Every structure is written in structure tokens, then in C-alpha cells.
Amino acid sequence: MRTASTLVRLSFAALATPWVAPLPAQLPNSGQHLVAANWDGRLHVVDAQDGSHELLASAGMGQNCLARDPAERLWSTARLPNGTAFSFHLALIDPVARSSALMFPSLDLRGLARAPGGLYGIETQPSGLTSRLWHIDTQTGQHTLRGPVGLTAIQSLAVVGNTLYGWHWVQGLVVLDPNTGAAADPFPATANNVLLQWLCETPGGGLLGGTSTGLYDVDLGTGGLTLRTALVPPLDLRGAEFAAFALPFGRGCEITSGPITLGALGVLQAGRTVTLLSSNHLPNSLRALAVGFSREQFRGQSLPAPIDALIGTPGCSLHVSPDLTQFYGASGFPTSVMALPLPLIAGLGEVYVQVFDFGQPFGRGAASNGLWLHLR
């Protein structure tokens, strides 16, 4: 049945004309980028190698942590004014749809970490009182107290393997008992004066932490820190995870109803199908999708590159390398919904997509923004 948009199922194998290129020898690395939560309510994509970052979305004020539950969903916190005080909530973060939703009332949590059936949370207590460990059921929102930690000001949590780690502002790396909350310092001889605001497990099973100015590798054998990279420019990040995301970049060219906008929904994982959503198409236009492996260059030409002569509208740019393309027919609707299967290609970490309109008659078209699909 036809509705206000047309659902098009695209085959990756059919993406072959008019531009064709072999897969690059070096595919983009999926283990390099973090989704990070800023205290001011913004979400960022952070390059874990060089500390550069881009704005992903705006969420809610008071994001004090970030963690993934066993169902691969990302969670953070939110703090809302409530008279002369604040109310605290758990928020579900979708870095593909670039959205945040308040889900459950909560506590003043300073750290979250993956737990069986949900998350562990560390509660900030008033000055002088010990932090407390909670288990949170992310299906129901139920908070169950596991117990006092025995230390004040635990700043963050992370699970590596089966071990629950926390970061204390004086003692540094500590290990928490997930059943009682009790903390132990396995490295009392290691002094740390770096206040890590967050911890997360790396794809290789290590531990990464961060301050507002840098990213640090945490040695699980000694508790010591090694600066990996500066955070450029600094950000007040409170939580980060290696996670999938869909990040728009560049801008579509202007047409009567505004530029074509392209976004995504779904799970970004090899072997799964992601839904691409685009709007503001020209009526009765022939449409095309380009899938590429770079947003920096195509066949020796730097991107973005002007394509006014091809599109027929001033100010249009090619934002992605059109390594694979597919035309998917004319439509009278201003929106398109495309189901794009992500192939099981070893080492495939991310792809870049862009959609184009070729007007009827030819000579007037449009192009969307680029969209970076970073797989998990």
C-alpha cells in the first residue's frame, strides 16, 4: 500500500551504477569513535585516537554518565528543576535517531555500568557520606540498593570482563563488589591525582577514562594512567561508550521547500538492515542513493566537491565517495523510506550515504546532506 512516503528495499549487491569502485584496501575502523555525553545536555562523537570531536545531538541537561545495558541500549541521566531542588531521571539515548527520552525516575547518579538485567549505578551522596551502589532494571526502572561503597565521591563506573571498576578522586582505580557495593583498592601504592569523569571498556578489553581535557588508558595491572590524547577543544564529558551512531554532515542544496535532509533509524550492525529517511524531495523526481567508504576524497578529488553541473541547482555538493550507487525510481511523494541491508564484510566499520534528486525533466535536481553510519 502506498502512503505519504515510498518504502524502497535496497540491495547492497545491486548498488553498482553509474559509479563503481572496488572496496578500499583499508576499511574505516569501527573501534575508534566514542559516543559521549556532555553535562550541558549535548551528545558528541569523539575520536578516541586524536581527541577531535563533532556534535551529534542535543539531549537533556544533567547528563552525568553514559553506559550500555545488555540489550545494547545506551542510557544516561537527566536533571530537571523541581521547585527549589532537582528531580533526577534515567534517559534512553538513541545515537542513530539522535534522540533522548526520559524513561524512569532515578537518583543523583554519578556513574553507570552494564549489569546483568540492566545497569549498576553509583549514587552521589551529600558531602562526607559514602557513595552507594544500586542495581537498575532497565525494563521496569526498579532500583535495588546493593550497599554502601565505603568511600565518598566515586566518580564513574565500568565493567571489564566480570569486574566492576570505579574511579575515586583520591585513590584512583577501585574494584566494587557488585553484590554488596563494598570497594577495595587493589593498588594502594599507586597515587592518582587525575579526576577521571568517566570510564568505559575498550573494544580490546581494556579500560579508557577521560577528563575534560584528555583521554587516558587505565592499566588494569597497576592502576596507572597513560595519556592517550588531549581532548581538542576541551569538553565537560561525563560518560562515553564505543557505540554505533548516525551523524549528519554537510548540507543539502536549497530547493523550493528547503534542502533534502537525510537521517536513519534502527540498529547499525553488519548483517542488519538500517532504515534511511529523507525528506523535502522534489515531486516526481528520479532518486538515487550513494554509499561510500570515505567522506574525505573520491578518485583523488577532495570532498565535499561541487556537483552543480550534474544536479542543475547551484550550491549542490557531493559529500560522500559514490563507490556504490542505486537509482530507485521516481516518486510523487516528498519523503522516502529506504531499507538498506548492511553487508557482512569483514572489517567493515562504517559507511557514508547521500541521496540525490534528478528532476523531471532533467536539468533541475537536489542533493541531501551526507550521513555517517558508524557500525557497532
Side-chain angles (χ1 to χ4, degrees):
M1 175 179 12
R2 295 177 62 139
T3 60
S5 63
T6 302
L7 173 63
V8 181
R9 297 192 178 276
L10 302 169
S11 167
F12 216 92
L15 296 174
T17 180
W19 301 297
V20 183
L23 294 180
Q26 182 67 42
L27 289 169
N29 182 5
S30 63
Q32 182 171 317
H33 291 90
L34 296 152
V35 173
N38 195 320
W39 169 252
D40 68 6
R42 292 177 293 173
L43 296 170
H44 300 268
V45 169
V46 178
D47 188 316
Q49 301 304 316
D50 65 19
S52 61
H53 49 81
E54 299 178 66
L55 179 64
L56 177 63
S58 295
M61 182 68 184
Q63 294 181 133
N64 223 1
C65 40
L66 189 73
R68 183 172 39 243
D69 70 11
E72 295 291 311
R73 299 182 299 173
L74 284 181
W75 295 84
S76 186
T77 57
R79 188 178 77 160
L80 302 178
N82 185 15
T84 59
F86 294 96
S87 62
F88 300 94
H89 304 264
L90 276 179
L92 185 61
I93 305 295
D94 187 338
V96 177
R98 302 168 54 243
S99 64
S100 174
L102 298 182
M103 299 299 291
F104 307 116
S106 189
L107 306 164
D108 187 4
L109 300 177
R110 187 59 192 83
L112 290 171
R114 169 176 49 86
L119 298 166
Y120 296 117
I122 198 77
E123 180 190 10
T124 298
Q125 291 276 80
S127 178
L129 297 179
T130 180
S131 300
R132 299 194 295 179
L133 182 69
W134 294 80
H135 179 273
I136 304 166
D137 187 321
T138 50
Q139 296 297 323
T140 66
Q142 180 177 345
H143 289 49
T144 303
L145 179 64
R146 291 297 171 89
V149 173
L151 295 170
T152 61
I154 296 291
Q155 292 295 311
S156 49
L157 295 177
V159 170
V160 178
N162 295 315
T163 303
L164 177 60
Y165 292 98
W167 190 265
H168 185 258
W169 68 292
V170 174
Q171 294 179 246
L173 189 66
V174 296
V175 174
L176 280 67
D177 186 320
N179 296 309
T180 68
D185 185 355
F187 312 111
T190 302
N192 282 293
N193 58 1
V194 177
L195 182 59
L196 295 184
Q197 295 281 11
W198 55 267
L199 296 169
C200 76
E201 184 179 14
T202 68
L207 188 61
L208 184 68
T211 67
S212 62
T213 59
L215 307 183
Y216 293 81
D217 287 297
V218 184
D219 190 324
L220 296 178
T222 67
L225 298 180
T226 301
L227 177 65
R228 177 185 287 203
T229 182
L231 193 61
V232 184
L235 289 173
D236 188 11
L237 300 181
R238 302 299 179 92
E241 286 282 345
F242 290 92
F245 57 81
L247 176 65
F249 61 94
R251 179 179 172 83
C253 46
E254 293 286 351
I255 54 177
T256 304
S257 58
I260 299 175
T261 58
L262 177 62
L265 294 173
V267 178
L268 289 176
Q269 191 173 48
R272 303 288 291 267
T273 297
V274 63
T275 300
L276 302 178
L277 309 171
S278 55
S279 60
N280 289 336
H281 285 279
L282 294 167
N284 301 311
S285 59
L286 179 65
R287 298 170 189 177
L289 172 73
V291 179
F293 300 103
S294 175
R295 62 170 180 166
E296 306 295 333
Q297 64 87 30
F298 178 62
R299 295 181 179 176
Q301 183 173 4
S302 296
L303 297 176
I307 52 172
D308 299 6
L310 175 65
I311 294 295
T313 299
C316 290
S317 296
L318 179 66
H319 292 294
V320 310
S321 59
D323 300 305
L324 308 164
T325 67
Q326 180 176 339
F327 287 99
Y328 53 96
S331 172
F333 300 121
T335 59
S336 285
V337 182
M338 297 165 283
L340 176 65
L342 298 170
L344 288 167
I345 298 175
L348 180 65
E350 54 196 31
V351 295
Y352 307 93
V353 294
Q354 187 178 6
V355 295
F356 305 90
D357 274 4
F358 297 94
Q360 302 281 348
F362 285 103
R364 178 174 179 264
S368 75
N369 56 279
L371 189 65
W372 176 7
L373 303 180
H374 184 81
L375 280 57
R376 164 74 176 159

